[in-house]
Amino acid sequence: EDMTLLSSWDESYNAVPVFAQGFAERLEEKSDGDLNINLRGPETVSPFEQLQPVSTGLFDMLFTHGAYHLGETAMAFGMDAVKDDPVARRESGIYELIDAHYQDRNLKLIGVFSAASGYHFLLSDPIGEDGGLEGRKIRASGTYHDMVIELGGSVVTMPASDIYSALDRGLVDGAAWPVFGAMDYKWYEVADYMTRPTFGVTNLTLFMNLDSWNSLTEDQQALVEETARELEIEGREHFEKLWAEEDQAMQDAGLEITEFGPDVAGDVNAIFASGVWKQVRAKAGEDGAEFHDLAVEKGLTAAE
Amino acid sequence: MRWLLRIHDGLTQLTFWVSAASVAYLTLVTAWEVVGRYFLRMPSDWAPDTAAVSFAFVTFLAAPMLTWKGGHAAMTAVVDHVPQGVSLWMRRLTLLLAVLVCGLCAWFGAQETFRLYTRGVTMITVTPIQKWWVMITVVYALASMALYFLRHLGATFMQSPSAPAESRDGKPVGEELS
Amino acid sequence: MEWYVLLTGAFFLLLALFATGLPIFLSFLTLNLIGLYLMTGNFGGVLLVVNSMFDTGTSISLAAIPLFILLGEILFRSGAVRILFNAVDAVIGNIRARLYAVTIVLSTIFGALSGSAMAVAAMMGSSLLPEMRSRGYDRNLSVGAILAGSSLAPIIPPSVMAVVLGILSGVSIAELLIAGIVPGILLALAFFIYIVIRGWRNPDLAPLSPRADLPGRERALLVLKALPFLLIIVTILGLILGGVATPTESAAMGCVVAAVICSILGDLKFAKLVEAVRSTAWITGMIMIIMVSSVSFSQILNMTGVTFELVAFVTSLALPVVLIFIVLQALPLILCMFIDQIALMILLVPLYQPIITGLEFDPLWFWTIFLINMSIGGITPPFGYTLFALQGVARDVPIQSVYRAAVPFVLIFLLMIVVLALLPDIILYLPSFV
Ligand code: NA
Ligand code: NA
């Protein structure tokens, strides 16, 4: 059985070798070469347009981030506000909710992979007396919009490819991004500080077209699920190491740590999470509300 | 029949004006964002978000006019140097192909637009902008272009064998538009 | 089917479609539909094409195109370009080929500022070209000078393409940007010399100006009149260098400033401004409809995997180092004849990286040459966005003439690449200070 997996990133993003290629290799091995996955990257379909082609069956699987299809629904994005514990996540019943939500779009949820790390701000100047981002112009996508405002900054919208030169020439005072990025995109050349503590959890989501899923035998389906479960745990462990290395590499490259003020530091996680939940409720309707309530009930999120 | 064509042309002229207005909007809103961000320290998110939409409007609302007036870039070296009978048939074939290709894309685009509309899919912007508002201009462009190619095709059977005067005569842009 | 059959098939089918006189954007759309049908057995994949059109059409990083076109339109229609040329004529009117030189210099400056070769070509084509032709300059040489000058846009910083290349290749972006400065200036010089030689050998290509014989006071007045025009350039330069605005935003500010200055000092009535805006819509529509159709062509080509196979084949060849270097640089040049440059970089760079490390090429040197190579891609016939952009504004110039005009400058580019390959210090000297 040959299947195609559409990925939102090319191999230079380290989640692709760990989770996407890792998934393909594991599955091929487990099935003794029966289930064979071919990777296709963003050079074939641009990252923000990938959900629909997979749901119509032009590709069999999708490896993406929930924020990349925020225009369609924010359900998968909600996982970024859920505690980073693969086992507790699986047991909570959250997966079933998300899965049902996407089945309505002809997609099957296969797995949610934590990168064992979250998000931060890269800044030109260290955090000041306000303890937050007072008066700063921060390049940020919709993901961080509420958070930047809450911390007293203002949001500048521009394509990711402009971040380097915008930081370089002082067009913006900072940029929000997952903690992995400053090295790959070379922003350490043009920013001097990174904020701590980090906030949220970066999650990568794997979907399968529902028809492709249904065409698998029960044994094959079991293999796919088993592979995803294993990778959720082992891939996450691998990422803990990668994250420690990355954190060190960024500091070696000259990015200094700047801490949020004492009044702010304890709240950044909750501030971020409540921004996420606001979008989940707004864009995933009743399912989204149910998801948030369940996460609160199970004690798996920082924001009510 | 004639009044239908006139409506088509009128709509093309109207949307071309909207396209031109979008150029003005794109320019002013982009310039304003600089003033707002740098001098007033008040960056907005609606400015870049709506700029992207207006940029798409410029392209897709102007495209039918280009097809109507024969303004698309094309390599005409071969067509210009073959006998007239051959070039007429080459032209008919390419026009037929153009109708089919644009029509097919418009058809699938219309289905997607309908899905975007019923699902309420938004663009990935801070400002909530419905995706179908933009997608419908893509479909409009494709459908209207298909119709113009069909009309050009029809014209090759009604007029003298030479190509219709309105296309590929190399008039400068300014004259084309007046 | 074998990959090389598919790839050559696609290439020749595209050429054949071009040759039938089918509009260029439709040639791409047609191939897209054929490709999708062959891959999936139905037309369901047309969804990808339509979505890609939406995605490219709303891509704000391309908005530099209409903004620089509008700037060019305003400058031309207000008579600002005429005033500038009069000033040049007044100063050096007895030197042949001077306006070609002005073209090269202006294209280089705006290219340096904007980073978008298409935008600059369209701007120069709508402002300088008509004025040069009305003064009796040779059409093809004028077109060639504009194409060449605007192709320096991605090479001289700021440059989005250099940033993307830096990210993909792992070379310092700052160094890559600085590395482009000297080669960019050398290229501009080479174009200049070529044009002077052409003008010297064939005086008909560039007429002398009667203004050079005017009394000194009148000549000084002509120069004085051109000063406000320089203010527009200074505004744009200042905004970019001062960290106030991105190049795209500076173009928008430049339009506003130009409209104000030209309506006060020049000859810009409201009706002309409306004309400029409508003309911008027309040209943008023409260029962008090709863009939105051809991006999905690259995507579908990538989806079939043939481009990957080609690269894998080339990189597996066992050849002497020099030949490998030539092959590695020739491949993007050839692929650029029918693929979008950014998509091509995403495809090639990761595959090249291990080879470059293995052969111990200096990465900065290699990727700078690669970047120059990609810039030529925009003006190598038959497929080049810069070519299409220029043809969009100069509609009465047939595309085959634009092709012909580009050829000598492509050759100069290639010659310069040979020089840079043999003398790496030209590239590596400036970045060594970073
Ligand atoms: Na540049
Ligand atoms: Na080319």
Side-chain angles (χ1 to χ4, degrees):
Chain A
E1 190 98 18
D2 266 330
M3 291 191 284
T4 48
L5 192 163
L6 186 58
S7 160
S8 298
W9 311 272
D10 61 56
E11 292 140 37
S12 64
Y13 175 41
N14 54 17
V16 173
V18 176
F19 296 120
Q21 289 170 336
F23 184 88
E25 283 160 17
R26 244 167 224 257
L27 189 62
E28 198 173 332
E29 197 178 313
K30 274 178 187 290
S31 64
D32 291 325
D34 173 35
L35 292 171
N36 193 8
I37 294 177
N38 295 311
L39 235 67
R40 294 282 181 264
E43 74 284 351
T44 58
V45 181
S46 71
F48 292 174
E49 305 291 337
Q50 292 181 337
L51 193 73
Q52 190 56 13
V54 178
S55 98
T56 57
L58 290 164
F59 301 86
D60 297 304
M61 300 178 85
L62 173 65
F63 180 66
T64 190
H65 185 273
Y68 285 13
H69 56 262
L70 269 187
E72 299 267 355
T73 174
M75 201 69 172
F77 176 52
M79 289 302 285
D80 282 17
V82 174
K83 196 176 162 201
D84 187 13
D85 180 342
V87 178
R89 282 173 166 194
R90 280 269 181 192
E91 283 171 355
S92 64
I94 286 172
Y95 273 65
E96 285 72 16
L97 273 182
I98 300 179
D99 185 37
H101 183 80
Y102 282 92
Q103 291 219 6
D104 188 34
R105 288 175 159 74
N106 205 36
L107 293 164
K108 167 86 188 161
L109 178 71
I110 302 296
V112 180
F113 306 103
S114 152
S117 56
Y119 303 86
H120 67 173
F121 295 99
L122 295 170
L123 299 177
S124 309
D125 298 303
I127 302 262
E129 284 179 8
D130 64 290
L133 301 171
E134 201 65 48
R136 288 174 211 252
K137 293 174 286 189
I138 304 291
R139 186 276 173 193
S141 63
T143 311
Y144 317 89
H145 187 263
D146 293 331
M147 176 157 195
V148 174
I149 304 290
E150 183 78 18
L151 295 176
S154 48
V155 175
V156 175
T157 318
M158 59 173 63
S161 55
D162 280 348
I163 294 179
Y164 183 91
S165 55
L167 280 169
D168 189 21
R169 282 175 294 119
L171 214 72
V172 293
D173 307 309
W177 200 264
V179 291
F180 287 94
M183 298 308 293
D184 282 345
Y185 294 100
K186 314 247 162 188
W187 295 324
Y188 64 85
E189 292 182 3
V190 288
D192 293 323
Y193 297 91
M194 51 184 178
T195 61
R196 292 291 177 272
T198 63
F199 44 89
V201 187
T202 308
N203 292 287
L204 300 312
T205 314
L206 188 64
F207 294 106
M208 190 184 283
N209 173 279
L210 195 56
D211 303 322
S212 305
W213 172 257
N214 289 332
S215 75
L216 297 178
T217 65
E218 270 183 33
D219 289 346
Q220 289 171 325
Q221 289 181 348
L223 278 183
V224 168
E225 288 197 316
E226 188 186 297
T227 310
R229 268 172 202 273
E230 286 176 13
L231 205 57
E232 277 173 359
I233 293 167
E234 289 170 33
R236 192 190 162 284
E237 281 165 5
H238 184 65
F239 248 90
E240 277 182 338
K241 276 192 224 113
L242 290 178
W243 165 220
E245 286 166 18
E246 183 87 356
D247 200 25
Q248 192 55 50
M250 286 193 287
Q251 294 179 51
D252 293 346
L255 277 171
E256 264 180 66
I257 286 175
T258 179
E259 299 273 351
F260 285 112
D263 301 341
V264 180
D267 293 338
V268 283
N269 232 342
I271 294 174
F272 177 75
S274 71
V276 172
W277 290 123
K278 198 173 122 191
Q279 299 219 41
V280 172
R281 283 177 175 269
K283 289 175 178 159
E286 285 171 22
D287 291 347
E290 206 178 326
F291 177 14
H292 184 194
D293 294 342
L294 185 62
V296 172
E297 183 196 317
K298 300 279 179 182
L300 288 176
T301 180
E304 302 245 329
Chain B
M1 187 60 195
R2 219 155 239 301
W3 63 270
L4 255 177
L5 300 185
R6 232 174 268 147
I7 289 179
H8 184 206
D9 294 344
L11 190 63
T12 305
Q13 273 160 342
L14 181 74
T15 58
F16 190 78
W17 274 110
V18 179
S19 165
S22 302
V23 171
Y25 178 84
L26 175 65
T27 311
L28 293 174
V29 87
T30 309
W32 168 250
E33 178 65 8
V34 178
V35 176
R37 186 184 60 223
Y38 190 78
F39 298 102
L40 312 177
R41 294 195 73 81
M42 277 193 322
S44 73
D45 30 56
W46 56 266
D49 288 350
T50 55
V53 171
S54 68
F55 179 40
F57 283 5
V58 174
T59 305
F60 297 113
L61 296 181
M65 181 68 105
L66 282 146
T67 312
W68 180 14
K69 304 289 184 186
H72 293 296
M75 218 172 97
T76 55
V78 177
V79 187
D80 292 345
H81 289 97
V82 294
Q84 218 172 40
V86 179
S87 85
L88 177 66
W89 275 102
M90 275 174 78
R91 192 166 151 67
R92 283 178 182 160
L93 276 176
T94 53
L95 283 171
L96 181 65
L97 187 62
V99 174
L100 294 176
V101 168
C102 287
L104 195 67
C105 291
W107 171 246
F108 279 92
Q111 288 177 327
E112 175 67 1
T113 310
F114 184 70
R115 187 191 74 85
L116 295 173
Y117 171 75
T118 49
R119 286 263 183 194
V121 177
T122 57
M123 292 176 66
I124 302 189
T125 45
V126 178
T127 325
I129 299 172
Q130 289 290 314
K131 208 169 165 181
W132 69 267
W133 295 346
V134 179
M135 190 60 103
I136 203 164
T137 66
V138 180
V139 176
Y140 161 74
L142 288 165
S144 180
M145 287 195 293
L147 209 52
Y148 274 119
F149 285 124
L150 188 64
R151 288 172 61 180
H152 290 324
L153 181 62
T156 64
F157 291 99
M158 288 176 206
Q159 293 176 357
S160 60
S162 63
E166 62 188 0
S167 71
R168 291 183 193 149
D169 52 358
K171 268 190 286 177
V173 173
E175 281 172 54
E176 288 279 358
L177 295 176
S178 54
Chain C
M1 217 183 297
E2 292 296 329
W3 60 270
Y4 48 87
V5 179
L6 267 172
L7 197 61
T8 43
F11 182 61
F12 283 107
L13 192 54
L14 188 66
L15 282 186
L17 286 170
F18 280 180
T20 62
L22 192 68
I24 291 183
F25 86 97
L26 276 169
S27 305
F28 284 113
L29 278 186
T30 306
L31 263 189
N32 290 345
L33 299 193
I34 294 174
L36 284 169
Y37 188 82
L38 286 180
M39 268 192 290
T40 59
N42 59 55
F43 282 114
V46 177
L47 171 76
L48 294 176
V49 176
V50 179
N51 274 342
S52 168
M53 292 177 100
F54 171 93
D55 192 55
T56 312
T58 52
S59 164
I60 200 71
S61 48
L62 294 173
I65 294 168
L67 294 171
F68 275 95
I69 293 172
L70 182 60
L71 187 57
E73 287 283 329
I74 291 174
L75 293 180
F76 173 66
R77 285 171 199 269
S78 65
V81 174
R82 191 165 31 84
I83 293 168
L84 179 78
F85 281 6
N86 283 345
V88 174
D89 279 356
V91 181
I92 49 169
N94 47 357
I95 300 174
R96 288 190 192 276
R98 65 202 167 277
L99 289 194
Y100 297 125
V102 173
T103 306
I104 299 270
V105 170
L106 281 183
S107 317
T108 308
I109 291 175
F110 276 99
L113 292 177
S114 81
S116 162
M118 286 170 81
V120 180
M123 177 191 162
M124 294 294 147
S126 64
S127 55
L128 300 191
L129 190 58
E131 190 63 33
M132 292 182 71
R133 292 176 62 188
S134 75
R135 285 168 191 244
Y137 281 75
D138 181 63
R139 185 185 73 185
N140 279 13
L141 198 54
S142 309
V143 166
I146 291 174
L147 287 174
S150 48
S151 296
L152 301 176
I155 302 171
I156 304 174
S159 157
V160 174
M161 225 202 270
V163 171
V164 175
L165 182 58
I167 290 167
L168 290 170
S169 67
V171 174
S172 156
I173 294 169
E175 288 182 21
L176 199 55
L177 285 170
I178 292 169
I181 295 176
V182 175
I185 293 172
L186 283 181
L187 277 162
L189 264 174
F191 301 148
F192 183 81
I193 292 167
Y194 168 74
I195 273 165
V196 169
I197 293 174
R198 284 286 303 270
W200 172 61
R201 290 191 48 179
N202 182 0
D204 291 343
L205 292 174
L208 291 175
S209 168
R211 288 185 188 81
D213 303 327
L214 291 174
R217 217 164 52 91
E218 281 182 45
R219 285 166 62 188
L221 201 68
L222 284 176
V223 173
L224 213 60
K225 270 190 174 167
L227 287 182
F229 177 82
L230 293 179
L231 185 65
I232 298 168
I233 296 184
V234 169
T235 305
I236 297 177
L237 234 153
L239 288 172
I240 295 178
L241 298 181
V244 178
T246 64
T248 306
E249 291 169 342
S250 306
M253 293 288 274
C255 288
V256 175
V257 173
V260 171
I261 289 180
C262 291
S263 53
I264 295 172
L265 300 171
D267 181 22
L268 189 70
K269 306 260 158 40
F270 185 70
K272 277 193 184 173
L273 198 56
V274 172
E275 246 176 72
V277 169
R278 279 173 65 86
S279 182
T280 304
W282 172 278
I283 299 162
T284 306
M286 185 245 127
I287 296 172
M288 282 301 296
I289 206 78
I290 297 177
M291 278 295 270
V292 300
S293 310
S294 61
V295 167
S296 55
F297 173 69
S298 307
Q299 292 171 334
I300 290 164
L301 210 54
N302 291 333
M303 208 185 300
T304 62
V306 291
T307 37
F308 179 82
E309 300 260 10
L310 170 66
V311 174
F313 169 73
V314 169
T315 50
S316 70
L317 293 172
L319 292 170
V321 177
V322 179
L323 271 183
I324 292 186
F325 176 81
I326 292 173
V327 171
L328 290 184
Q329 295 288 357
L331 184 62
L333 193 70
I334 292 165
L335 282 174
C336 254
M337 288 177 185
F338 59 119
I339 276 197
D340 160 59
Q341 287 137 321
I342 301 267
L344 184 56
M345 288 200 290
I346 294 176
L347 176 82
L348 283 185
V349 176
L351 294 158
Y352 273 21
Q353 253 180 310
I355 306 173
I356 292 165
T357 319
L359 295 175
E360 293 179 356
F361 286 145
D362 183 312
L364 186 59
W365 166 77
F366 184 88
W367 292 119
T368 304
I369 293 178
F370 186 85
L371 179 69
I372 297 171
N373 214 336
M374 300 299 285
S375 314
I376 316 177
I379 59 165
T380 38
F383 172 60
Y385 287 129
T386 321
L387 298 170
F388 299 147
L390 190 79
Q391 212 256 333
V393 293
R395 292 206 48 238
D396 58 329
V397 185
I399 190 91
Q400 49 272 24
S401 298
V402 178
Y403 289 171
R404 221 173 295 132
V407 171
F409 292 94
V410 171
L411 293 178
I412 296 177
F413 259 115
L414 294 178
L415 209 65
M416 185 57 79
I417 286 186
V418 174
V419 173
L420 294 173
L422 295 176
L423 303 169
D425 278 342
I426 299 176
I427 293 172
L428 299 176
Y429 182 68
L430 269 191
S432 64
F433 291 99
V434 174

